[in-house]
Amino acid sequence: MATPSLTGALLTDLYELTMLQVYWREGMGETAAFELFVRRLPAQRGFLVAAGLEEAVRYLAELRFDEQELAWLASEGRFHPEFVASLRELRFTGDVDAVPEGTVVFADEPLLRVSAPIAQAQFAESRIINLLHYQTMVATKAARCVQAAGGRELVDFGLRRSHGAEAGLLSARASYLAGFHGSATTLAGMRYGIPVSGTMAHSFVQAHESEGAAFRAFCRVFPGQATLLIDTYDIDAATREVVELSAELRAAGQ
């Protein structure tokens, strides 16, 4: 059996499916509307930066159950076979109203509204909250970092500490949306067009006989594009190495 998709229809809460079976049994197909908003914000953190709309819209546009997911639901014993079969035709046909990506929003102000036949609108809840909540949280934090930085360059290096691959990728997107200058996550460059940048690892410096040797090797391969890491051993000593190296590079026309 293939590994289930991390973006498939079953990436949801069980109660979405149990409610859908009741709607199906009762013949409930009226239009419903759901809004995503925050009731309260902490003191001195009075705004949010909305993010995640693009992924939410993509999710709704591509929403469908594949045969593997339907087979698992049928074998699980909780759902009526005819209801499971009906999910094969589930598509989102409703409307989405939302603030643009990067909009500053406040408490009780909806970030997004979904209007659709009740089963579709209900089912979308869990994944849409998942996508918008995480990216809005990251974008809001990033916006505060941009304010504090006062124009200094900021780059996202969050992949290795993020809670999973998707989180690392989406945090790169959200922080760039909020004003960061780039990301070290290379897939963010390919997928979203975010400028990618980075330095070098401490282990790279340790792999050479000296910091100076490491810096010179890196600059030979990336002339004019090197960002050097100076805190592996002693920052003052490494700074002197860079000053010496920069004079050599300048003399060589770099």
Side-chain angles (χ1 to χ4, degrees):
M1 179 180 291
T3 301
S5 171
L6 291 179
T7 59
L10 282 187
L11 187 60
T12 189
D13 289 308
L14 175 64
Y15 85 156
E16 308 292 10
L17 287 159
T18 56
M19 288 185 287
L20 257 61
Q21 179 158 271
V22 176
Y23 294 150
W24 170 79
R25 174 73 77 179
E26 299 295 320
M28 297 171 63
E30 297 84 359
T31 297
F34 291 87
E35 293 181 338
L36 175 62
F37 62 95
V38 174
R39 291 185 178 92
R40 294 178 300 276
L41 290 169
Q44 300 180 340
R45 295 188 178 186
F47 70 91
L48 298 171
V49 177
L53 176 61
E54 182 179 346
E55 279 71 27
V57 170
R58 182 182 297 114
Y59 163 74
L60 291 172
E62 298 175 356
L63 175 59
R64 63 204 62 208
F65 283 85
D66 63 29
E67 292 304 317
Q68 183 181 0
E69 292 170 325
L70 293 172
W72 183 86
L73 286 173
S75 68
E76 213 260 342
R78 191 187 305 264
F79 300 102
H80 192 285
E82 292 182 18
F83 166 69
V84 174
S86 74
L87 293 176
R88 185 173 283 108
E89 307 303 321
L90 180 67
R91 301 291 187 275
F92 183 78
T93 62
D95 296 317
V96 176
D97 299 291
V99 299
E101 296 270 37
T103 300
V104 173
V105 297
F106 304 97
D108 292 320
E109 183 178 4
L111 283 72
L112 175 143
R113 178 188 298 112
V114 171
S115 303
I118 191 168
Q120 300 174 24
Q122 181 75 69
F123 187 77
E125 174 198 17
S126 293
R127 181 60 169 153
I128 284 181
I129 291 176
N130 167 255
L131 288 167
L132 269 73
H133 170 267
Y134 177 70
Q135 291 192 73
T136 296
M137 177 183 68
V138 173
T140 304
K141 178 66 174 180
R144 295 191 185 103
C145 292
V146 170
Q147 288 182 320
R152 296 176 179 86
E153 185 170 333
L154 295 171
V155 178
D156 157 60
F157 277 69
L159 176 63
R160 66 190 69 184
R161 292 183 176 86
S162 295
H163 296 179
E166 183 184 57
L169 184 61
L170 295 183
S171 67
R173 179 186 183 278
S175 59
Y176 184 66
L177 178 73
F180 272 42
H181 296 83
S183 173
T185 303
T186 51
L187 185 56
M190 177 180 176
R191 178 171 294 189
Y192 301 123
I194 296 173
V196 293
S197 63
T199 58
M200 58 181 62
H202 294 292
S203 57
F204 176 85
V205 176
Q206 291 174 310
H208 292 78
E209 290 295 325
S210 66
E211 285 181 300
F215 298 159
R216 285 169 173 78
F218 204 84
C219 289
R220 280 195 296 271
V221 177
F222 296 102
Q225 303 177 51
T227 302
L228 306 177
L229 194 70
I230 64 171
D231 65 341
T232 302
Y233 302 115
D234 182 288
I235 292 176
D236 291 340
T239 301
R240 287 191 290 271
E241 288 277 7
V242 173
V243 170
E244 182 180 328
L245 173 60
S246 64
E248 297 173 15
L249 295 174
R250 190 178 299 110
Q254 294 184 26

